[in-house]
Amino acid sequence: MAAPQRHEVWPATPGYHPPRRRTSEPARRAPRRKAAAHRRGFLMLVVVPVLLMLGSVYLHTVSADLGDRVAVLEEQRVRVAAEKEDLDVQVSRLSAPGRIRTEAEALGMKEPNSSNLKVYEGNREDEIQNGGEEAQKNGR
């Protein structure tokens, strides 16, 4: 006698789902491991070199900008050094004793004679104006 054939009711009955087969844990995780290995391989072969190249381009750009900034600052330093030299010449010309005397005479100033001069010792004038505080500190 022949065994009766099993009849699946799944396609005909709404809401019925056939029972799932139980697979072992390693068999279920195998596709995930393969996918993870593919992702790691993709990262190592594509993403990491691209990031390294972008970093290299960024560093090159920054160094070029810094080189331009150095050139601008060097020009500015040369210009300021020349201006300082011009100002030093002007100061020495304006502070010459002969020029100061001629300017003073033009303003009506006279050179003091010895009877008009009053000479103070050290900082005595300051001591008198400060009420003798400096003299007390110095022991005078």
Side-chain angles (χ1 to χ4, degrees):
M1 200 151 143
Q5 296 284 328
R6 263 183 104 173
H7 179 60
E8 295 274 340
V9 290
W10 173 64
T13 309
Y16 174 78
H17 299 289
R20 291 187 180 175
R21 289 187 193 171
R22 294 204 179 240
T23 57
S24 65
E25 280 297 312
R28 241 189 287 162
R29 290 185 182 168
R32 289 182 188 165
R33 273 193 233 130
K34 285 183 182 178
H38 287 296
R39 272 186 252 128
R40 273 190 303 248
F42 178 76
L43 284 173
M44 295 304 288
L45 291 175
V46 177
V47 175
V48 172
V50 167
L51 290 176
L52 290 174
M53 287 187 293
L54 289 175
S56 173
V57 169
Y58 173 74
L59 289 176
H60 180 72
T61 304
V62 168
S63 68
D65 289 342
L66 288 176
D68 293 344
R69 179 82 172 133
V70 166
V72 168
L73 289 175
E74 185 65 28
E75 289 174 9
Q76 186 178 3
R77 186 190 66 81
V78 168
R79 189 174 56 248
V80 168
E83 185 178 342
K84 179 192 177 297
E85 190 175 319
D86 292 343
L87 290 175
D88 286 341
V89 169
Q90 187 177 1
V91 164
S92 65
R93 190 173 354 113
L94 291 175
S95 62
R99 182 191 168 280
I100 292 175
R101 285 200 173 129
T102 56
E103 289 291 325
E105 289 172 1
L107 292 172
M109 297 178 164
K110 297 184 223 171
E111 193 169 329
N113 46 11
S114 62
S115 63
N116 294 342
L117 292 179
K118 187 172 184 180
V119 179
Y120 296 98
E121 291 179 27
N123 292 333
R124 292 294 255 177
E125 181 180 18
D126 291 336
E127 293 173 10
I128 294 169
Q129 289 176 355
N130 292 331
E133 294 170 2
E134 288 292 322
Q136 291 172 358
K137 285 181 188 175
N138 295 332
R140 291 185 193 181

